[in-house]
Amino acid sequence: MSLDFFFNPKSIAVIGASNNKLKLGYEVFKNLKTYEGRVYPVNIRESVVQGVKAYRSVLDVPDEIDLAVIVIPRGYVKQAIIDCCKAGVKGAIVITGGFSETGAEGKRLEEEIVGIAREHGLRIIGPNCVGVMNTSVNLNATFIMSARKGYVAFISQSGALGAGIIYKTVREGIGFSKFVSVGNMADVSIDELIDYLADDEETKAIAVYLEGLRSGRRFIEACRRVYSKKPVIVLKGGVGVYGSRATQSHTGSLAGSPEIYNAAFKQARVIVSRNVTELLSMSRAFTQPRPRGSRVAVITNAGGVGVLVTDELERRGLVLARFSSETINALRRILPPIAAVNNPVDMIASARGREYYLVTKTILRDNSVDAVIVACVVPTFAGMTPTEHAEGVLKAIREARVKKPVIGLFMAGEVSLEARKLLENNGIPVYETPEEAASAIEALCKHSLYREV
Amino acid sequence: MSLDFFFNPKSIAVIGASNNKLKLGYEVFKNLKTYEGRVYPVNIRESVVQGVKAYRSVLDVPDEIDLAVIVIPRGYVKQAIIDCCKAGVKGAIVITGGFSETGAEGKRLEEEIVGIAREHGLRIIGPNCVGVMNTSVNLNATFIMSARKGYVAFISQSGALGAGIIYKTVREGIGFSKFVSVGNMADVSIDELIDYLADDEETKAIAVYLEGLRSGRRFIEACRRVYSKKPVIVLKGGVGVYGSRATQSHTGSLAGSPEIYNAAFKQARVIVSRNVTELLSMSRAFTQPRPRGSRVAVITNAGGVGVLVTDELERRGLVLARFSSETINALRRILPPIAAVNNPVDMIASARGREYYLVTKTILRDNSVDAVIVACVVPTFAGMTPTEHAEGVLKAIREARVKKPVIGLFMAGEVSLEARKLLENNGIPVYETPEEAASAIEALCKHSLYREV
C-alpha cells in the first residue's frame, strides 16, 4: 500500500491548530499554511485560527481529508482518531507524546488507538514524533523549521536529533527531499517508508537514524528489496555498552551486540555511517553514478589537502588510481613543471578554470580511474573566487562523456559559496573537509561492492 | 631567542607592496593597513602604494623596521634579504615561492639566503609560505582573509590547507590567537614556534598540521618542554602509503611508518587528531580546566543526541560517570517522571533554563564526575531560543565552584547562534555534532593522562 497521502496529501486537517504561540499546534499550522494543497485548522474552541476559518472536528470539515496532523493533549487523541476514521482520512501524523515511551499505561492506549485505526484502514505515523516534510511541494507537517530542498530522504527514529540535524543543515546549505520522524512507530514502520521512498523521484538516497527495531527481518528485507533502486545509509545509535543502555527506554529493539547489527546491515546491503557528519556526507554522494571499482583520482590546487584526502581514502580501504602514461604525459603538457602529475595531482595554487577543466577531463577519460575528487582551496590570486574552477569542472564532466562519480571538496568558506552552489545545482555534491569527501567516495564504492555479493 | 617581532612588530616593511590587484603584494599590504603598528610599503617602481608613500628599498624607510614581509619575484629575494640585514630588520616573512620545493637550484638559493640572514641575526619564516597572523593585535601579514579571534594558535606546514581552514572557520565562527604558515622552514622551525607560543597569553592550545620534520628530536623535546604550559594537538598528513608518497616533494621528513610517528607523538606528549574537524574541535577544548579522570556526564534535552554522544565517548575509551544516589535523587526532584536520571541524563524536550541550571549544577558537584557535556537540541516550544538554556549552564558553573571541564553541544544552526556566542564568550567551547563534542573531552582527558606518564 502506498504511503503517498503522507507526502502529497490533497487536503490536510491540523487537529489542534492553535492561535497560542506557545503551543506546538501554532507552529504546525503556521508551517502548513504555505503548503500547495488545501489545509484546514481544527480546534474545539476557536472559530478562526491564524486568520483561517476553523472547525470543531475533522468531521465538520466540508472536504475530503487525506491527512490529519494531530497535535492535541494525549487524552483527546483517541477521539480524534475515531473521528478521522469516520471522516475517511487516509493518514494521521500523531505528534502528541505520552504513549508507549512513558510506560505500560501509555502503551495500552497506543495499542488501542492503532487497533481502531487498523480496523478502518487509517495509517498512523508516530505517536510522539516531530512530523513529516516533503520539500518538493513545500509540505512541512512538523513544528520545526523547514528543511532545504535536496536529494536525500531522511528517516529519524529520534525526533529531536532529526530536528537538530535539519536546523544544522539549513545553516550549512544542505537539503533533503523528505523528512520523516517516525516516533514510536506504532503503525507505519521504517521498512514501509523505505519501500515508499525507493520509488520517490526526488530521492537519490535514504538516510536513517536508527536506535532499535521491532522487526529486524522486515528492515533487512526492505533494504535488500530497494538496493538496486536506492542506497540506504544508516547511523545506528546505541552501539556501545553505555549507549545501548541509553536506548533502553525505546521499545522492541533487535537484541544483540554491534557485531550482530553489523552482520544484519551487511545482509541488508546497507551502508553504515559512524556519525552524524558521515550520515550526511555519505547520503549526499548518491546524485553521482556508482563507480566500477575503488580506484580514486584526486585533483587539487593545494598539496596539503591532497595529502589529507589520500590518507582518508586509504584509511577507508580505497586505492589511489595509477594513471596511464598517456594521462601523465597529458598532465605534464597542461601543468607547470613544479606541479605533481602523479595521483594526487597537485596543480599548485596557480591553477585556474582552464587547468581544472583540462586536468579533470583528462583524468575522467583515463580507464584506470573509477572516481574523482576535485579539491579547491581558496585561490591565492587577488580577487579571484573559485567559481571559474567549478565551471571548469562542469565543462570537463560534460565533455568527458563517461559515467564516473565526481565529488567536490571546496575549502574556502564564504568565498566558495557560489562555486559550491553552481556544482550542486548540477548534481555534484560538494564538501568542506577531506574526511567528508573521502567518506562520500567510500559510500559510493561500498554500494557498488554489494552488487557483487 | 624570542620570536616576538614576528607577532608584535613595532614596524613593518612590505617589500613588494603593490597597487596591482592581481599581485599578492596588493593583498598583503591591504591586510596590514589595519595593523596597530607602523607599516611601510616598499616598491622599486611606485612612489605611492594604496595611498601611502612608498620606498624603493627597506634601506630608504626612515624608521627602524622590526619585520619585513617579502612578496617579490624569486630573483629579487636575495637582495631584499641583504637589504634587510643592512637595515637591522629582526625578522622576515618570505612569502615568495620557488625555492627548495622546486628542486636543487631553488634549494641552493634558499640555503644561500638563510646563510646570509644567519650571519646577521635576521630570522626568516618561509620561504614559500602564506604568512603570519596575530589576531589579538589585528596583525594579518598574509595575502588571505583575517582569521577570527580565538584561543588556538595554528601552525600549518601547508599554507593552502591553513588558508582553507581559516576561510572555513571564519564562516563557522571559530577563531585563532595566532596563525603561522611555516612554508619550507628554511630557518624558523615548528619547535621554536611551539616554544614561543607556549608563553603566549592569548593561546590556550597549539594546533599543528604536520607533514614532515627536519628534526623529529627537536620537535619532541619542544612539545615535552611546553607540556605543562600548553597542549600540542597534531594532525599528521601523509600517514598512509599513498599519502606519504604525496608528501615526497617536501624536504627532510622524519623517516618511518605511522607507528614510528605515533610512538614519537606519545613521547612528545602530543594529542593526535585524525582529521581537520578533530584538529579544530580538540584544540578548542583547552579553554577548559583539565579533568581528573575520564568519567564523563552527559546532559541532554534530546534522547538521540545523548545516545550518540555516549557511543562516541565509549568509542574513544572514555567512561560514563556513575552518579551518586544523592545526585540521582536530586535529579528526580528536578525533572519530570519520564526524564532519564541516569547518565546520560535526558531532561526531555520540556527542559528550559531552570532545568539546565539545576541539573548541570547538581552533576558538576557529584564527585564521580570528571567532565560534563551539555547538549541542547532546538527547543520545541514555539518562539523559544536556547539562550536561556546557555544562561542556565553558565549560572550552574559559577555556583558549583568546581574545576571541571564543561563542553557545549548545541545542535540548532542559526537558532542557537546567540546561545553559542554567550557560552564561548564565557570560555565554554560549543560544538554542533556529538563526535566533535566527544573528541573535545577525549583531548582534555588525553592531556591529563600524559601527566601520569
Side-chain angles (χ1 to χ4, degrees):
Chain A
M1 189 200 321
S2 169
L3 299 173
D4 203 48
F5 42 82
F6 282 114
F7 299 95
N8 291 293
K10 284 195 202 73
S11 54
I12 305 174
V14 180
I15 302 176
S18 177
N19 287 315
N20 181 344
K21 290 194 180 180
L22 294 176
K23 295 200 166 173
L24 298 186
Y26 175 87
E27 296 290 328
V28 173
F29 188 68
K30 198 189 68 176
N31 284 340
L32 278 171
K33 280 171 88 177
T34 51
Y35 177 53
E36 297 170 7
R38 303 183 298 275
V39 184
Y40 302 96
V42 172
N43 186 305
I44 195 112
R45 271 180 304 262
E46 310 280 350
S47 58
V48 175
V49 169
Q50 300 183 34
V52 180
K53 179 178 162 47
Y55 301 89
R56 281 182 56 86
S57 154
V58 68
L59 289 164
D60 299 332
V61 180
D63 192 356
E64 276 188 25
I65 298 296
D66 277 354
L67 176 65
V69 185
I70 298 178
V71 53
I72 49 179
R74 186 182 76 152
Y76 303 101
V77 172
K78 184 176 148 187
Q79 188 57 50
I81 290 289
I82 291 169
D83 291 351
C84 286
C85 290
K86 282 188 195 158
V89 174
K90 293 170 186 157
I93 298 168
V94 183
I95 290 176
T96 308
F99 294 90
S100 62
E101 82 277 15
T102 62
E105 192 215 328
K107 192 165 193 307
R108 196 195 45 72
L109 181 58
E110 185 174 299
E111 282 166 0
E112 194 186 345
I113 285 168
V114 171
I116 295 165
R118 290 216 168 127
E119 223 169 88
H120 296 82
L122 172 73
R123 302 304 311 271
I124 292 177
I125 286 180
N128 184 33
C129 74
V130 166
V132 166
M133 296 186 196
N134 177 3
T135 58
S136 67
V137 294
N138 295 320
L139 176 79
N140 179 0
T142 76
F143 50 85
I144 64 167
M145 179 188 276
S146 296
R148 287 177 187 258
K149 288 193 165 87
Y151 302 105
V152 176
F154 175 27
I155 302 171
S156 183
Q157 206 177 343
S158 162
L161 181 76
I165 288 176
I166 283 174
Y167 278 70
K168 173 178 144 65
T169 52
V170 165
R171 185 169 175 230
E172 293 168 349
I174 294 168
F176 298 97
S177 56
K178 308 276 186 289
F179 167 63
V180 190
S181 159
V182 293
N184 297 354
M185 293 194 284
D187 178 32
V188 172
S189 56
I190 291 176
D191 51 280
E192 286 180 275
L193 290 163
I194 287 172
D195 273 322
Y196 171 78
L197 294 165
D199 292 321
D200 178 45
E201 274 182 29
E202 281 93 22
T203 297
K204 304 282 186 194
I206 302 166
V208 184
Y209 172 69
L210 196 68
E211 285 190 4
L213 288 167
R214 292 244 169 108
S215 168
R217 173 62 40 207
R218 273 162 55 194
F219 176 79
I220 292 170
E221 284 169 1
C223 294
R224 286 185 70 87
R225 199 156 49 229
V226 308
Y227 166 77
S228 60
K229 289 189 271 186
K230 301 281 161 74
V232 178
I233 301 95
V234 168
L235 172 59
K236 172 73 175 73
V239 293
V241 174
Y242 299 111
S244 107
R245 247 183 248 157
T247 64
Q248 268 178 6
S249 58
H250 292 249
T251 46
S253 299
L254 250 183
S257 62
E259 288 72 33
I260 290 178
Y261 260 101
N262 283 331
F265 289 147
K266 203 167 177 181
Q267 213 191 328
R269 301 181 164 192
V270 152
I271 297 156
V272 178
S273 63
R274 285 172 302 181
N275 53 45
V276 170
T277 308
E278 271 197 9
L279 179 68
L280 295 171
S281 57
M282 287 181 153
S283 306
R284 288 172 57 221
F286 287 90
T287 53
Q288 289 299 295
R290 302 309 172 269
R292 294 210 175 161
S294 314
R295 298 168 305 171
V296 187
V298 179
I299 303 169
T300 180
N301 66 346
V305 175
V307 168
L308 288 179
V309 172
T310 302
D311 281 346
E312 280 289 337
L313 289 170
E314 194 170 346
R315 204 172 273 152
R316 293 162 192 273
L318 302 161
V319 289
L320 268 268
R322 205 191 163 96
F323 298 147
S324 71
S325 52
E326 295 85 59
T327 298
I328 288 174
N329 289 334
L331 295 181
R332 280 221 179 88
R333 283 191 298 273
I334 299 163
L335 296 170
I338 63 162
V341 295
N342 287 298
N343 197 9
V345 179
D346 182 3
M347 306 187 293
I348 74 171
S350 56
R352 302 195 57 155
R354 179 187 161 274
E355 286 77 17
Y356 272 85
Y357 159 58
L358 292 172
V359 170
T360 306
K361 187 172 162 183
T362 303
I363 283 172
L364 274 171
R365 284 187 166 170
D366 188 322
N367 285 328
S368 66
V369 171
D370 298 313
V372 179
I373 294 177
V374 183
C376 178
V377 171
V378 51
T380 54
F381 286 84
M384 209 205 300
T385 63
T387 307
E388 64 171 84
H389 305 63
E391 283 163 353
V393 173
L394 288 174
K395 194 177 170 199
I397 294 169
R398 273 195 307 274
E399 294 182 10
R401 296 180 171 277
V402 291
K403 276 210 155 194
K404 294 179 184 178
V406 179
I407 297 287
L409 167 56
F410 277 60
M411 276 185 81
E414 290 289 339
V415 180
S416 62
L417 287 186
E418 193 183 281
R420 180 176 170 165
K421 215 167 172 179
L422 184 65
L423 289 168
E424 295 205 332
N425 287 345
N426 284 278
I428 312 293
V430 179
Y431 302 92
E432 263 212 306
T433 64
E435 57 270 23
E436 285 169 287
S439 76
I441 296 285
E442 180 193 3
L444 289 168
C445 289
K446 276 195 174 161
H447 192 249
S448 293
L449 281 173
Y450 277 130
R451 201 171 294 154
E452 296 156 20
V453 177
Chain B
M1 188 201 320
S2 170
L3 299 173
D4 202 48
F5 42 82
F6 282 113
F7 299 95
N8 290 292
K10 283 196 203 74
S11 54
I12 306 174
V14 180
I15 302 176
S18 177
N19 287 315
N20 182 345
K21 290 193 179 180
L22 295 177
K23 294 200 166 174
L24 299 186
Y26 175 87
E27 296 290 328
V28 172
F29 188 68
K30 198 190 69 176
N31 283 341
L32 279 171
K33 280 170 90 176
T34 50
Y35 178 53
E36 298 169 7
R38 303 183 298 276
V39 184
Y40 302 96
V42 172
N43 185 306
I44 195 112
R45 273 179 303 263
E46 309 281 347
S47 57
V48 175
V49 170
Q50 299 182 36
V52 180
K53 180 178 162 45
Y55 300 89
R56 281 182 55 86
S57 154
V58 67
L59 290 163
D60 300 332
V61 180
D63 192 356
E64 275 187 26
I65 298 297
D66 277 354
L67 175 67
V69 185
I70 298 177
V71 54
I72 50 180
R74 186 182 76 152
Y76 303 100
V77 172
K78 184 176 147 187
Q79 188 56 50
I81 290 289
I82 291 169
D83 292 351
C84 285
C85 290
K86 281 188 195 157
V89 174
K90 293 170 185 159
I93 298 168
V94 183
I95 289 176
T96 307
F99 293 91
S100 61
E101 82 277 15
T102 62
E105 192 216 328
K107 191 166 195 304
R108 197 194 45 73
L109 181 58
E110 184 174 300
E111 282 167 359
E112 195 186 344
I113 285 167
V114 170
I116 295 165
R118 291 215 168 128
E119 222 170 87
H120 296 82
L122 173 73
R123 300 305 310 272
I124 292 177
I125 286 180
N128 184 34
C129 75
V130 166
V132 166
M133 296 186 196
N134 179 1
T135 57
S136 66
V137 294
N138 295 319
L139 176 79
N140 179 0
T142 77
F143 49 87
I144 63 167
M145 179 188 275
S146 296
R148 287 178 187 256
K149 288 191 166 88
Y151 302 105
V152 176
F154 176 26
I155 302 171
S156 183
Q157 207 176 342
S158 163
L161 180 76
I165 288 176
I166 283 173
Y167 277 71
K168 172 177 144 66
T169 51
V170 165
R171 185 169 175 230
E172 292 168 348
I174 294 169
F176 297 97
S177 56
K178 309 275 188 288
F179 168 62
V180 190
S181 158
V182 293
N184 297 355
M185 292 195 284
D187 178 33
V188 172
S189 55
I190 291 175
D191 50 281
E192 287 179 274
L193 289 163
I194 287 172
D195 274 322
Y196 171 78
L197 294 165
D199 292 322
D200 177 44
E201 273 181 31
E202 281 93 23
T203 296
K204 303 281 186 195
I206 302 165
V208 184
Y209 172 69
L210 197 68
E211 284 191 4
L213 288 167
R214 294 246 168 107
S215 168
R217 172 63 39 207
R218 273 163 54 195
F219 176 78
I220 292 170
E221 284 169 1
C223 293
R224 286 185 70 87
R225 202 156 47 230
V226 308
Y227 165 76
S228 59
K229 289 190 272 187
K230 301 280 160 75
V232 178
I233 301 95
V234 168
L235 172 59
K236 172 73 175 74
V239 293
V241 174
Y242 299 109
S244 106
R245 247 183 248 158
T247 64
Q248 268 179 6
S249 58
H250 292 248
T251 46
S253 296
L254 250 183
S257 62
E259 289 73 33
I260 290 177
Y261 260 101
N262 283 331
F265 289 145
K266 202 165 177 182
Q267 213 191 328
R269 300 180 164 194
V270 152
I271 297 156
V272 178
S273 63
R274 285 172 303 180
N275 54 43
V276 170
T277 307
E278 271 198 9
L279 179 68
L280 295 172
S281 57
M282 287 181 154
S283 306
R284 288 171 58 221
F286 287 90
T287 52
Q288 289 299 296
R290 302 309 171 269
R292 294 207 176 165
S294 314
R295 299 167 305 171
V296 187
V298 179
I299 303 168
T300 180
N301 65 346
V305 176
V307 168
L308 288 178
V309 172
T310 301
D311 281 347
E312 280 289 338
L313 289 170
E314 194 170 348
R315 204 172 272 152
R316 292 161 193 272
L318 302 161
V319 289
L320 269 266
R322 205 191 163 97
F323 298 148
S324 71
S325 52
E326 295 85 58
T327 297
I328 288 175
N329 289 334
L331 295 180
R332 281 221 179 89
R333 283 191 298 273
I334 299 164
L335 296 170
I338 64 162
V341 295
N342 287 297
N343 197 9
V345 179
D346 182 3
M347 305 187 293
I348 73 171
S350 56
R352 301 196 56 155
R354 178 187 161 274
E355 285 77 18
Y356 272 85
Y357 159 59
L358 291 172
V359 171
T360 306
K361 187 172 161 182
T362 302
I363 283 172
L364 273 171
R365 285 187 166 169
D366 188 322
N367 285 328
S368 65
V369 172
D370 298 313
V372 178
I373 294 177
V374 183
C376 178
V377 171
V378 53
T380 54
F381 286 84
M384 209 204 301
T385 62
T387 308
E388 65 172 83
H389 305 64
E391 283 164 352
V393 173
L394 288 174
K395 193 177 171 200
I397 294 169
R398 271 195 309 274
E399 294 182 8
R401 296 181 171 278
V402 291
K403 277 210 152 192
K404 294 179 183 177
V406 179
I407 297 288
L409 166 57
F410 276 61
M411 277 185 81
E414 290 288 339
V415 181
S416 63
L417 286 186
E418 193 183 281
R420 179 176 170 166
K421 215 168 173 180
L422 183 65
L423 288 168
E424 294 206 332
N425 287 345
N426 283 278
I428 311 293
V430 179
Y431 302 92
E432 262 211 308
T433 64
E435 56 271 24
E436 286 170 287
S439 75
I441 296 285
E442 181 193 3
L444 290 168
C445 289
K446 276 197 174 160
H447 192 249
S448 293
L449 281 172
Y450 277 131
R451 201 172 294 154
E452 297 157 19
V453 177

